[in-house]
Amino acid sequence: MGEIVQLTQKIYPLIFISALLFTLIDTQISYSSSGSLTAEVTSKGLDSTSNDELYEIEKRQTLGTDIQQAKPHAPLLQLTKAEKAWLQNHKSIRISGPRAFPPFHFFDAHGNAQGVAADYVDLICDLLQVTPDVQSDLFWPEVLKKSQDKEIDLISISAKSTDREKYLLFTDSYLSFPLVIVTKTDAPFVSGMGNLHDKTIALVKGNVTYDLILKDKINFSPYFVKTPLEALQAVSSGEADATIENLAATTYLILHNGLTNLKIAAPTHYKNYDLYIAVRKDWPELVLIINKVLSSITPEQHTEILNRWLNVRYEYGISKRDVVKWILLIIGIFAAILLLVTLWNRRLNREIRERKQTEQILSESETRFKALHNASFGGISIHDKGIILECNRGLAEMTGYSTTELIGMNGLMLIAERYRDYVMSKILAGDENPYEAVGLRKNGEEYPMRLEARNVPYKGQNMRTVEFRDITKQKQAEKALRLTRFSLEHASDSIFWTTPGARIVDVNEAACRSLGYTRQELLQMTMLDINPHYSAEQWPQHFAELRSCDSLKFESEQLTKDGRLIPVEIVANYVRYESEELNCSFVRDISNRKRAEEERIGFEKKLLHTQKLESLGVMAGGIAHDFNNLLMSIMGNADLALMRLNPQSPAVDNLKSIEKATASAADLAKQMLAYSGKGKFVVENIDLNNLLEEMLHMLEVSISKKAVLRLNPFQPLPQVEADATQLRQVIMNLIINASEAIGDKSGVIAISTGCMDCDRRYLENVWLDENLSAGLYVYLEIADTGCGMDKNTMSKLFDPFFTTKFTGRGLGMAAVLGIIRGHKGAIKVYSEINKGTSFKILLPASDKPVEFFNENNHTNDWKGSGTVLLVDDEESVRGVGIEMLKELGFETITANDGCEAVEQFKNNPAISFVILDLTMPHMDGEQCFRELRQLQPDIKVIMSSGFSNDEITQKFVGKGLAGFLQKPYKLSMLKEVIRKIPGATE
């Protein structure tokens, strides 16, 4: 009796399952006969496609669509100022999409874009207030080509691929559909992609589906078409065996084009076919804006768009011809089950007795297992298909759930959502290797975890035991280590880790760049290989010093791979890592600093020398100025005495001697003025070659008999604006110095000329480089093979009163420097002991025609008339001046400074012109000149000074100066200057 009851209990579920199956078959047949297109699945197909898979496909398909659900309350569209500005600059956007891809994107007879994607794009354009410029009638390859050439700004719908991402940006996915296999209704059964080997598959050219099939390594023949409709038509006509397309487009095209001989044969294993809006690569701003718009679209707006185009439901069903097969199969299974139940029931009692005995043993074992289970420091669970059957206290403490809450929970709920598919794939594969994921606590907090699973028998079944480990602290330590390493690698200074034995154990990238070695090469070397200042014996002493001080800072040098020695600053730090001693050295290349220091020292030396020369120049100019005033009195009185004496008088010879001595003293004053750069120049355009030809004989007789003079002129040579007398003095001084440097030995003195274009870099290393501008310079080079000079001698070469001669005065080279400075030139000096010396004089090339400014074609019998105001602070100069002006026919009024001169001018309106000294106390000549011009704008003023004509001309250029007299001057010079003043008559 018990066996009959047990048999009945086993039969009832079978009867119930059979009834349910007949009902399902009946329902599917009815659904298919109602006129809806139904995908057929044969009995073979049911065996190969699980109920769960079919249910999942059916659950997410409404017209085959898996539209991403909008958020319950979409946020308002909020754009930044930069995004609004971008839209203002792009009011029109060129838009296109597939020519025939219904129901997503296609064009009607009037060229208007239609479909789901077109509606989304229209809604986006309305919200952003931009004008869509729709590019119609383009097939998909043409759309891709134009977007690649930036002739299309936005594609309304596109799948994502690696190739397209090279020239397109993609928004968030806004449509998603499963891909299905479509065949003819009478085609052989297809359960998946594996049945498509050696088949012809129709594919839209350029579609990513082609790449997906290639990755599956399916041997197939592609049949390329331009649109999904053409692909379906190719299958319908038998030109292709199948096509793979998204479910929504397929069902739409089958309904609207009457392709009743087609069926959806099977789903593919590919993930949902995600579709995006694609934007040209250089418009990332538009991608961000569109993503915001998609997030702001309300659920009602999504539903309205989808319902407009997607309104038919398709399901997989069973064809009528398979019903009989199913019934016969179920009857056979039912009979077999009855037989098995009878045999099984007999064994059942015996197994129950054995089970009670084993349960006792298992109970004791389980008690011991739980003790070990709860003693684990990590979380442990046992689950079956993801459902937790058992867990320890460690898992509860880790996740925040109680053990009661955990048992029966799906273990995937303890995993962050984005990692659940990954973890599930590990479970399905039975993977027993440890892996990492992100855990989710009860309070929503995420944390990093490591999982390791074992497939173990549990209560008579194969279960999966999983150990959970919270690795938050480990991850933090790894991150800190990565940041530290990143900082070291990106440090600008070189970093070396070395042992007490000088072996290099680690370096950063800066060290490799600085020395030119790879990291692998440096790790095979020691510090002795790259630091030439340490030997194997010295290094232990260095490390011992470092150990006692903890840190050392010093300068040294390092040897690069290409053999260069670079100066470095080293900060060495003693580090004890675990039980190991290390030296962590920070090494900085100080080449630029050293170069800057050398340049600074050179500049300071040059500045000091310039200041010294300037100070001595001011002193020399002041002495020469006062000296000229004295010479003016002597020369003027001697000149007047000679004019008034009888030529037969015995005093004439004495006066001429005085005049000759005065001229020599004036030459000395000129030399001092030349050193100060304020000498009197008679400027003319000079050809240096002609000047040297004229001087050649005089130079040859001036040098030693054992010295050979060679002239190497450059032809043609640009002219220079210079004083020929001053240049002769420079040449003579340098030639005589060269001859004396050769001495009693035989030697050569070479005089060369030429021109060169000098840039600022070349002019930085010359004497007198201040205010020199780059450009064309004429040079005069005098080189000898004499004894040469050392650096100390060269540094004092142009100092006043410095000489290496026993009888020298030390003014020759100082005068040379002053003359060249007055001509706005420069000097370069090269010299080596026992090899000779070279002086290169650089003078600016002139672009003026040859003319002389010191012509004197006037007669000696000229006389003037009128009243002259003579202003000078030296009484002797005023006295001589009165006598000279009287000889020339003028009456004279005198003043001893500028203030008195202004008063005298106010009181004597009949003054014809003024002779005005430049340097005076109280009010100097320049200020007095301005005061006189205010009293009478057209007043004629002759300026008198011991300084040069060039300096006075520059100071008073454009101010109406009538003339210039350089002290000391003779009567003839005074007469020539006055004759040039308009209004001075005979």
Side-chain angles (χ1 to χ4, degrees):
M1 184 65 181
E3 291 181 357
I4 295 173
V5 172
Q6 292 175 356
L7 180 61
T8 305
Q9 290 173 345
K10 302 297 181 182
I11 293 174
Y12 280 153
L14 294 176
I15 296 172
F16 174 76
I17 292 171
S18 300
L20 181 62
L21 184 58
F22 277 109
T23 304
L24 178 61
I25 293 171
D26 183 62
T27 302
Q28 296 292 346
I29 293 172
S30 300
Y31 196 93
S32 300
S33 63
S34 66
S36 300
L37 291 176
T38 303
E40 291 187 2
V41 180
T42 64
S43 59
K44 182 179 180 182
L46 285 174
D47 290 338
S48 60
T49 305
S50 69
N51 291 331
D52 288 344
E53 184 178 0
L54 288 173
Y55 170 73
E56 189 63 29
I57 294 172
E58 182 182 85
K59 180 178 69 174
R60 70 171 187 255
Q61 290 173 356
T62 301
L63 188 61
T65 63
D66 184 13
I67 308 298
Q68 292 185 349
Q69 295 301 313
K71 298 177 181 179
H73 300 285
L76 296 176
L77 178 60
Q78 295 181 346
L79 301 181
T80 64
K81 290 182 179 180
E83 291 169 341
K84 292 177 181 178
W86 190 94
L87 289 172
Q88 285 296 324
N89 294 328
H90 301 79
K91 298 300 291 184
S92 177
I93 298 177
R94 296 170 295 181
I95 299 172
S96 189
R99 178 179 180 181
F101 189 39
F104 308 121
H105 194 281
F106 59 96
F107 293 94
D108 60 16
H110 303 290
N112 297 319
Q114 302 290 325
V116 175
D119 284 0
Y120 270 103
V121 170
D122 288 342
L123 178 58
I124 290 169
C125 290
D126 289 343
L127 291 174
L128 297 179
Q129 296 182 356
V130 297
T131 304
D133 180 8
V134 180
Q135 313 286 312
S136 59
D137 294 333
L138 298 176
F139 288 105
W140 186 236
E142 297 174 296
V143 173
L144 294 178
K145 180 65 172 63
K146 284 183 174 291
S147 64
Q148 190 171 4
D149 296 337
K150 297 182 180 177
E151 297 178 18
I152 291 176
D153 303 322
L154 181 147
I155 302 177
S156 61
I157 188 165
S158 172
K160 188 188 296 186
S161 69
T162 303
D163 183 62
R164 294 177 192 176
E165 285 181 319
K166 294 177 181 178
Y167 55 90
L168 290 173
L169 298 172
F170 293 88
T171 66
D172 295 338
S173 173
Y174 71 108
L175 295 173
S176 182
F177 306 95
L179 289 175
V180 296
I181 303 171
V182 181
T183 64
K184 293 178 71 173
T185 54
D186 57 353
F189 172 73
V190 174
S191 63
M193 296 299 296
N195 298 111
L196 297 183
H197 280 289
D198 301 323
K199 303 293 183 184
T200 300
I201 304 175
L203 297 170
V204 176
K205 189 172 184 180
N207 200 309
V208 297
T209 310
Y210 179 70
D211 298 329
L212 295 174
I213 301 174
L214 288 179
K215 288 180 180 179
D216 275 348
K217 298 182 180 180
I218 294 174
N219 183 23
F220 73 102
S221 299
Y223 182 85
F224 289 115
V225 295
K226 293 182 177 180
T227 66
L229 177 59
E230 292 181 11
L232 293 172
Q233 289 173 338
V235 176
S236 178
S237 63
E239 297 175 81
D241 299 312
T243 185
I244 297 174
E245 192 51 74
N246 78 76
L247 191 53
T250 300
T251 52
Y252 182 93
L253 292 171
I254 289 174
L255 278 176
H256 289 75
N257 293 278
L259 302 175
T260 57
N261 65 334
L262 297 181
K263 69 176 180 180
I264 298 171
T268 66
H269 61 271
Y270 303 132
K271 290 185 178 181
N272 285 355
Y273 189 70
D274 293 327
L275 296 174
Y276 309 80
I277 295 175
V279 178
R280 52 191 285 185
K281 189 81 171 183
D282 57 342
W283 281 11
E285 298 90 349
L286 185 56
V287 173
L288 297 176
I289 292 170
I290 292 176
N291 282 338
K292 287 186 177 181
V293 174
L294 291 173
S295 298
S296 70
I297 296 176
T298 65
E300 292 76 11
Q301 290 173 314
H302 280 289
T303 303
E304 181 183 352
I305 293 174
L306 298 178
N307 288 343
R308 187 178 305 144
W309 300 99
L310 311 177
N311 52 14
V312 180
R313 176 181 174 87
Y314 288 86
E315 300 180 11
Y316 296 102
I318 303 174
S319 62
K320 296 178 181 179
R321 63 186 178 183
D322 293 330
V323 173
V324 176
K325 294 179 182 179
W326 278 104
I327 294 173
L328 293 175
L329 178 62
I330 290 170
I331 293 172
I333 292 172
F334 181 72
I337 289 173
L338 287 176
L339 178 60
L340 290 173
V341 167
T342 303
L343 297 174
W344 178 46
N345 194 40
R346 292 179 180 178
R347 293 184 55 191
L348 189 59
N349 290 329
R350 183 173 67 253
E351 289 178 356
I352 289 173
R353 289 191 299 271
E354 293 174 354
R355 186 182 305 164
K356 287 181 179 179
Q357 294 173 357
T358 57
E359 281 178 357
Q360 176 95 21
I361 298 171
L362 287 174
S363 177
E364 295 174 359
S365 175
E366 186 174 354
T367 301
R368 291 192 297 271
F369 168 75
K370 283 186 176 181
L372 293 173
H373 192 52
N374 287 320
S376 173
F377 294 103
I380 298 177
S381 73
I382 300 175
H383 68 83
D384 181 19
K385 296 180 181 179
I387 303 303
I388 298 175
L389 304 178
E390 191 67 60
C391 69
N392 69 342
R393 187 168 54 249
L395 184 62
E397 294 171 353
M398 183 185 302
T399 61
Y401 292 97
S402 66
T403 53
T404 304
E405 290 174 315
L406 288 170
I407 294 175
M409 179 187 292
N410 189 334
L412 291 177
M413 295 299 102
L414 303 179
I415 307 297
E417 185 174 357
R418 61 186 181 280
Y419 278 87
R420 289 173 186 171
D421 289 343
Y422 172 65
V423 173
M424 192 63 193
S425 67
K426 294 285 187 180
I427 294 172
L428 294 176
D431 193 346
E432 295 188 353
N433 295 312
Y435 60 95
E436 293 183 3
V438 175
L440 184 67
R441 304 189 203 276
K442 184 178 180 180
N443 60 5
E445 177 188 352
E446 292 187 353
Y447 63 99
M449 64 162 53
R450 178 177 287 110
L451 301 172
E452 187 170 2
R454 292 288 184 273
N455 298 315
V456 297
Y458 178 75
K459 295 184 179 180
Q461 300 183 32
N462 283 328
M463 301 297 175
R464 191 167 175 86
T465 301
V466 183
E467 181 184 27
F468 298 77
R469 286 281 182 181
D470 185 345
I471 57 173
T472 301
K473 292 183 179 180
Q474 178 183 333
K475 287 294 183 181
Q476 290 172 347
E478 290 176 356
K479 182 178 180 181
L481 184 61
R482 287 195 302 270
L483 288 174
T484 301
R485 187 69 202 182
F486 179 85
S487 301
L488 293 178
E489 289 298 337
H490 290 78
S492 58
D493 291 343
S494 302
I495 300 176
F496 294 85
W497 288 85
T498 55
T499 66
R503 183 173 59 86
I504 300 173
V505 296
D506 198 10
V507 295
N508 67 344
E509 286 298 323
C512 300
R513 290 194 302 269
S514 176
L515 299 178
Y517 292 99
T518 64
R519 185 189 297 272
Q520 289 71 24
E521 289 173 330
L522 285 173
L523 295 183
Q524 302 299 318
M525 300 167 64
T526 69
M527 290 300 290
L528 305 179
D529 297 324
I530 61 176
N531 194 321
H533 298 292
Y534 283 103
S535 63
E537 294 78 18
Q538 292 173 321
W539 184 262
Q541 300 174 4
H542 168 69
F543 201 91
E545 182 183 2
L546 176 62
R547 186 187 295 114
S548 63
C549 298
D550 286 337
S551 180
L552 293 174
K553 183 176 181 180
F554 55 94
E555 290 186 4
S556 185
E557 290 181 316
Q558 285 189 340
L559 184 65
T560 64
K561 187 175 183 178
D562 57 8
R564 293 180 296 109
L565 274 176
I566 57 174
V568 294
E569 180 183 78
I570 301 175
V571 178
N573 300 279
Y574 176 75
V575 177
R576 177 173 287 277
Y577 180 72
E578 295 179 350
S579 61
E580 187 176 6
E581 290 183 311
L582 294 171
N583 173 10
C584 179
S585 297
F586 293 83
V587 181
R588 176 170 296 177
D589 186 343
I590 56 174
S591 301
N592 292 335
R593 186 202 300 175
K594 289 289 186 182
R595 193 177 303 113
E597 287 179 1
E598 292 173 0
E599 292 175 356
R600 179 182 58 80
I601 292 171
F603 176 76
E604 287 177 353
K605 287 182 178 179
K606 188 177 292 185
L607 181 62
L608 182 62
H609 185 78
T610 302
Q611 289 173 343
K612 181 169 66 174
L613 293 180
E614 187 66 27
S615 299
L616 291 171
V618 171
M619 181 183 72
I623 294 172
H625 176 266
D626 292 340
F627 195 36
N628 275 332
N629 284 334
L630 296 174
L631 293 175
M632 176 67 202
S633 177
I634 298 170
M635 183 179 289
N637 282 303
D639 195 20
L640 289 172
L642 283 171
M643 291 177 61
R644 294 170 180 174
L645 277 177
N646 187 334
Q648 304 302 321
S649 173
V652 169
D653 291 336
N654 300 99
L655 290 172
K656 287 185 176 179
S657 296
I658 292 172
E659 196 173 45
K660 184 177 181 180
T662 306
S664 297
D667 287 340
L668 182 58
K670 287 178 183 178
Q671 202 169 21
M672 295 175 70
L673 285 171
Y675 168 72
S676 68
K678 300 175 181 178
K680 177 184 176 183
F681 295 158
V682 180
V683 179
E684 57 186 333
N685 274 11
I686 294 175
D687 186 328
L688 282 179
N689 290 336
N690 294 339
L691 185 67
L692 290 169
E693 289 288 348
E694 295 171 359
M695 293 181 65
L696 187 59
H697 177 69
M698 181 175 63
L699 295 175
E700 287 176 343
V701 299
S702 301
I703 62 176
S704 168
K705 298 297 183 182
K706 294 188 177 182
V708 178
L709 189 66
R710 292 179 181 172
L711 183 62
N712 304 310
F714 175 81
Q715 298 288 353
L717 190 67
Q719 295 182 339
V720 294
E721 292 184 28
D723 184 316
T725 302
Q726 299 281 5
L727 288 186
R728 289 189 188 98
Q729 181 181 344
V730 169
I731 295 169
M732 184 60 71
N733 284 356
L734 294 177
I735 291 294
I736 291 173
N737 283 349
S739 175
E740 292 176 349
I742 293 172
D744 296 332
K745 300 178 181 179
S746 297
V748 177
I749 301 173
I751 307 174
S752 304
T753 61
C755 62
M756 60 191 301
D757 196 4
C758 300
D759 56 16
R760 281 301 309 163
R761 187 174 181 182
Y762 182 80
L763 294 173
E764 284 177 356
N765 298 316
V766 298
W767 290 86
L768 302 172
D769 65 340
E770 62 267 17
N771 301 322
L772 288 182
S773 57
L776 185 65
Y777 284 79
V778 174
Y779 69 82
L780 167 67
E781 186 172 22
I782 298 176
D784 64 68
T785 59
C787 60
M789 295 180 286
D790 57 21
K791 291 184 178 180
N792 184 47
T793 303
M794 287 183 64
S795 66
K796 302 176 181 178
L797 179 62
F798 295 106
D799 288 358
F801 314 115
F802 172 77
T803 179
T804 57
K805 306 173 188 176
F806 180 73
T807 59
R809 293 176 298 176
L811 285 175
M813 293 307 295
V816 167
L817 187 67
I819 291 169
I820 299 304
R821 177 164 56 183
H823 284 80
K824 299 179 182 177
I827 304 175
K828 271 209 168 193
V829 183
Y830 308 89
S831 185
E832 290 186 44
I833 295 293
N834 298 325
K835 291 188 178 181
T837 303
S838 170
F839 287 86
K840 179 177 280 188
I841 309 296
L842 297 171
L843 297 171
S846 171
D847 56 355
K848 295 182 180 179
V850 178
E851 59 179 340
F852 294 92
F853 298 94
N854 59 338
E855 294 181 356
N856 188 359
N857 298 321
H858 307 297
T859 60
N860 295 325
D861 57 352
W862 180 88
K863 292 286 184 178
S865 61
T867 302
V868 179
L869 175 59
L870 176 61
V871 186
D872 201 295
D873 61 328
E874 290 291 336
E875 185 177 354
S876 59
V877 175
R878 293 198 301 272
V880 173
I882 291 171
E883 293 294 328
M884 286 184 174
L885 289 169
K886 185 176 180 181
E887 286 291 330
L888 295 175
F890 294 99
E891 294 182 3
T892 307
I893 299 172
T894 62
N896 61 4
D897 59 34
C899 295
E900 187 178 346
V902 173
E903 292 300 321
Q904 289 283 18
F905 189 79
K906 291 178 181 178
N907 297 329
N908 296 277
I911 292 174
S912 301
F913 58 89
V914 180
I915 300 177
L916 181 62
D917 187 22
L918 178 63
T919 306
M920 296 181 295
H922 308 304
M923 181 187 289
D924 62 12
E926 186 176 0
Q927 186 177 356
C928 181
F929 177 70
R930 288 197 298 268
E931 295 287 339
L932 294 175
R933 288 293 297 270
Q934 289 180 359
L935 295 174
Q936 183 179 329
D938 61 346
I939 183 66
K940 306 298 187 296
V941 177
I942 299 173
M943 192 65 68
S944 175
S945 174
F947 297 140
S948 68
N949 184 23
D950 276 359
E951 183 177 350
I952 302 303
T953 302
Q954 290 176 7
K955 186 174 291 189
F956 292 92
V957 63
K959 297 181 179 180
L961 197 65
F964 171 71
L965 276 171
Q966 182 167 4
K967 297 177 182 179
Y969 53 84
K970 294 183 179 181
L971 180 63
S972 58
M973 296 168 61
L974 176 62
K975 180 171 61 176
E976 289 302 320
V977 173
I978 295 175
R979 284 190 76 252
K980 296 178 181 179
I981 300 176
T985 58
E986 294 185 5

